[in-house]
Amino acid sequence: WLKKWISVRENLKKVVKIHGLDALSDFDSEEIDRAIALSLLEEDAKSVVSTEDDQNQTTSSPEDETESSYLSEEDTKGKKPINYEDDIEDDEQLAKALQESMNIPSPPRNHPSPPQNHPSPPRNLHESVYPPVPYFYPSGYRICIGCNTEIGHGRFLNCMGGLWHPECFRCHTCNLPISDHEFSMADNRQFHKSCYKEHHHPRCDVCKHFIPTNAAGLIEYRAHPFWLQKYCPSHENDGTPRCCSCERMEARDTKYLLLDDGRKLCLECLDSAIMDTHECQPLYLEIQDFYEGLNMKIEQQVPLLLVERQALNEAMEGEKNGQGHHHMPETRGLCLSEEQTISTIIRRPKVGAGRIMDMFTEPYKLVRRCEVTAILILYSLPRLLTGSILAHEMMHAWLRLKGYSNLPPNVEEGICQVLAHMWLESEIVAGSGGANIASTSSSASAPAAESSKKGKRSDFEKQLGEFFKHQIETDSSAAYGDGFREGNQSVLKYGLRSTLDHIRLTGRFPL
């Protein structure tokens, strides 16, 4: 078998030399050797079949024996021995046969078919002359994992655990071939580096630029715990303003409303903002009805005034024992007990050129007729935030008017936060078409009034209500945060009325 291989190899060299062809490359020589080996293996297989047929014959004549011996000799070798004196025509036929045998066989039937958008691979035109060995793949047979067709002898890429046509290795985003030396990977998919950055690298919601990496090469950013607004860490110290209501940072492509006291209000919060004392009175009546539904009516007439930030701060300084919603970065509500003169907003200011214009105020003299002289609320806050602050301050007023005195800060502020949280829940439920929470929280049989006269809320206002609840629930301060969580747990376990009775007797929440 080896002698035959050497003989055929030498004849092929003669063919190359006779036809004046260039010397064969190492790759071509390897492919020719493989083709010769396949041819000899095939002829050996034929000789085995022929020998078995001869053995199965029971009788034969001398002529038959002679013929059989001749056929066996020819079939066993597969081809007649090649003489070096043979003419050029025989050499050309041998070269042609070898060239045909070098054609890579087509995949077997169970090989996956190529996708429809890729042209089918060309069929071997010499299959009938030189049939492929079934299910045998030479080492040079390469399949592109992108289109499932043969790669052949051209350029190819070896990456992601397989071989690719260069035009099949495409970006998952833009579907263009990746010709760069570097590419990015995500979820076992390949991308141009630029496409990956555009679609996967986080952008700052404030400056709209890609969030830069830190000194360690990692992407570092900040995110609001409720709104999930992502932004560069530098914006916390570069003076980027936040909405005084929802706390979202002002993006570079949007403009917040500038209030006369320096605060900024986003346009979504402005949509439901309450701007003057007269505009707040219907909300005040609604919250009074809410308290009545809890069997906690306030008989005394306590004035409610909307004021600017400066007036609120001045009133807090003049209050000896003032209790207010002032644990936040700024004071937003106060329950007053002293006689003072307060500058209150009497008419809704105008809005123009991105700022508040023409603020109309007038002085209001507070007269002490009971333990509470007035409730002050910061103007320009959305209705739900204004209402939650008002519900908190009304609980301060109720406690004082009902004789709950000298309570620890965590108890008084905690139970006030519980009432603000309950009112927000009632508004959210009412805005969604549900029942008022006051009717389920009260031990009295009196029906609760509708908590909202505005009807169904917008999606943003619903989110805003959930945000204000989230603020109360996650407050980290001892008085307002821990106090709320302890008070809310007591109310859920024992009910509001039993909790208030226990506070009156002990000055603490029930265990």
Side-chain angles (χ1 to χ4, degrees):
W1 191 81
L2 181 59
K3 290 180 179 179
K4 287 187 288 183
W5 180 84
I6 295 174
S7 175
V8 175
R9 194 76 169 88
E10 293 299 324
N11 274 283
L12 180 62
K13 289 182 180 179
K14 288 187 63 179
V15 172
V16 173
K17 185 174 181 180
I18 291 171
H19 287 274
L21 301 177
D22 297 333
L24 296 175
S25 65
D26 292 340
F27 179 80
D28 291 336
S29 298
E30 181 183 347
E31 293 295 318
I32 291 171
D33 290 343
R34 185 180 297 107
I36 295 172
L38 290 174
S39 300
L40 295 177
L41 284 173
E42 182 181 0
E43 295 304 324
D44 286 344
K46 288 181 179 180
S47 68
V48 172
V49 173
S50 177
T51 303
E52 290 178 352
D53 291 341
D54 292 341
Q55 291 176 354
N56 290 334
Q57 293 179 358
T58 55
T59 59
S60 62
S61 61
E63 294 81 6
D64 292 336
E65 289 177 1
T66 303
E67 180 69 12
S68 176
S69 175
Y70 172 76
L71 291 176
S72 177
E73 179 181 357
E74 290 297 318
D75 289 344
T76 300
K77 295 181 180 178
K79 293 187 187 304
K80 292 188 292 182
I82 299 176
N83 247 324
Y84 289 122
E85 288 81 20
D86 285 347
D87 57 16
I88 302 303
E89 182 178 357
D90 292 338
D91 291 333
E92 289 178 347
Q93 291 178 357
L94 174 61
K96 180 180 179 181
L98 290 174
Q99 182 181 4
E100 292 170 353
S101 67
M102 289 170 61
N103 287 323
I104 304 301
S106 300
R109 291 183 179 180
N110 62 349
H111 193 279
S113 58
Q116 294 183 357
N117 60 351
H118 192 93
S120 300
R123 295 188 59 191
N124 188 347
L125 300 179
H126 307 286
E127 286 182 351
S128 59
V129 178
Y130 241 108
V133 179
Y135 300 98
F136 177 81
Y137 292 90
S139 60
Y141 188 77
R142 294 181 288 264
I143 291 293
C144 171
I145 65 175
C147 64
N148 292 326
T149 61
E150 177 190 347
I151 292 178
H153 306 310
R155 293 177 59 248
F156 64 92
L157 304 176
N158 184 357
C159 52
M160 295 177 62
L163 305 178
W164 303 73
H165 291 111
E167 65 273 12
C168 291
F169 192 65
R170 294 175 176 264
C171 173
H172 186 71
T173 297
C174 67
N175 200 36
L176 294 177
I178 300 177
S179 57
D180 305 331
H181 294 292
E182 295 181 344
F183 62 95
S184 298
M185 290 286 300
D187 299 327
N188 202 29
R189 294 170 176 171
Q190 66 274 10
F191 301 86
H192 290 111
K193 293 195 74 174
S194 58
C195 291
Y196 178 84
K197 186 174 184 179
E198 183 68 29
H199 290 82
H200 293 84
H201 193 114
R203 284 183 181 269
C204 174
D205 292 329
V206 175
C207 65
K208 307 303 180 182
H209 296 151
F210 291 115
I211 296 177
T213 56
N214 58 18
L218 302 176
I219 299 173
E220 179 184 358
Y221 60 86
R222 304 289 184 265
H224 192 281
F226 181 85
W227 301 106
L228 303 181
Q229 184 187 39
K230 300 188 294 292
Y231 53 91
C232 304
S234 60
H235 296 319
E236 292 187 332
N237 304 310
D238 63 2
T240 300
R242 292 179 181 267
C243 173
C244 63
S245 167
C246 66
E247 296 186 350
R248 293 180 299 175
M249 280 192 167
E250 182 182 36
R252 297 291 185 264
D253 57 352
T254 61
K255 289 297 181 182
Y256 287 0
L257 177 68
L258 177 62
L259 304 177
D260 66 323
D261 54 15
R263 291 177 295 145
K264 282 211 165 184
L265 189 70
C266 73
L267 300 184
E268 289 87 354
C269 289
L270 175 64
D271 186 56
S272 63
I274 298 179
M275 290 294 190
D276 62 59
T277 297
H278 177 74
E279 190 177 352
C280 194
Q281 295 308 310
L283 178 61
Y284 189 22
L285 294 176
E286 291 176 27
I287 295 179
Q288 287 178 341
D289 290 342
F290 174 77
Y291 270 77
E292 283 191 41
L294 298 173
N295 198 25
M296 296 170 60
K297 182 178 180 179
I298 298 178
E299 289 82 7
Q300 291 85 348
Q301 293 297 320
V302 178
L304 168 67
L305 306 175
L306 251 64
V307 297
E308 298 176 88
R309 175 196 279 176
Q310 183 179 355
L312 196 62
N313 291 337
E314 291 174 354
M316 184 172 60
E317 292 175 0
E319 187 73 9
K320 295 179 181 178
N321 298 309
Q323 298 289 341
H325 209 73
H326 50 81
H327 69 292
M328 306 298 292
E330 63 178 352
T331 302
R332 299 194 295 194
L334 281 174
C335 180
L336 301 182
S337 301
E338 304 294 330
E339 292 187 348
Q340 298 188 46
T341 299
I342 305 297
S343 178
T344 181
I345 302 173
I346 61 171
R347 191 167 64 188
R348 185 181 182 91
K350 295 180 181 179
V351 177
R355 61 183 302 136
I356 289 290
M357 303 170 60
D358 298 331
M359 182 69 69
F360 300 96
T361 63
E362 71 175 13
Y364 187 98
K365 184 172 177 59
L366 301 179
V367 179
R368 183 180 174 90
R369 296 187 176 91
C370 59
E371 292 296 320
V372 179
T373 58
I375 293 176
L376 307 185
I377 303 294
L378 190 62
Y379 89 104
S380 76
L381 299 177
R383 178 182 177 277
L384 289 177
L385 179 55
T386 303
S388 66
I389 296 172
L390 182 52
H392 177 103
E393 300 303 331
M394 279 191 67
M395 190 59 189
H396 279 302
W398 187 89
L399 291 171
R400 294 183 198 176
L401 294 171
K402 297 300 180 180
Y404 290 75
S405 59
N406 301 321
L407 294 176
N410 69 305
V411 176
E412 182 160 355
E413 299 298 345
I415 196 64
C416 289
Q417 286 290 73
V418 169
L419 266 294
H421 190 270
M422 288 174 60
W423 182 81
L424 282 171
E425 282 189 325
S426 72
E427 286 292 293
I428 293 171
V429 171
S432 303
N436 192 306
I437 193 172
S439 61
T440 61
S441 301
S442 174
S443 58
S445 59
E450 289 292 332
S451 64
S452 175
K453 305 289 193 299
K454 295 188 68 175
K456 194 171 183 180
R457 310 196 195 293
S458 66
D459 291 338
F460 176 77
E461 196 171 4
K462 292 177 184 177
Q463 281 186 296
L464 204 56
E466 294 291 346
F467 168 65
F468 298 142
K469 279 179 55 184
H470 175 267
Q471 275 190 312
I472 295 174
E473 294 163 356
T474 59
D475 196 306
S476 60
S477 65
Y480 293 86
D482 296 340
F484 163 75
R485 286 181 282 274
E486 188 177 356
N488 192 55
Q489 186 177 4
S490 298
V491 171
L492 292 175
K493 186 174 183 180
Y494 302 107
L496 179 60
R497 176 54 55 188
S498 297
T499 299
L500 291 173
D501 290 342
H502 191 276
I503 291 173
R504 180 191 292 273
L505 294 173
T506 65
R508 302 189 305 270
F509 290 119
L511 299 176

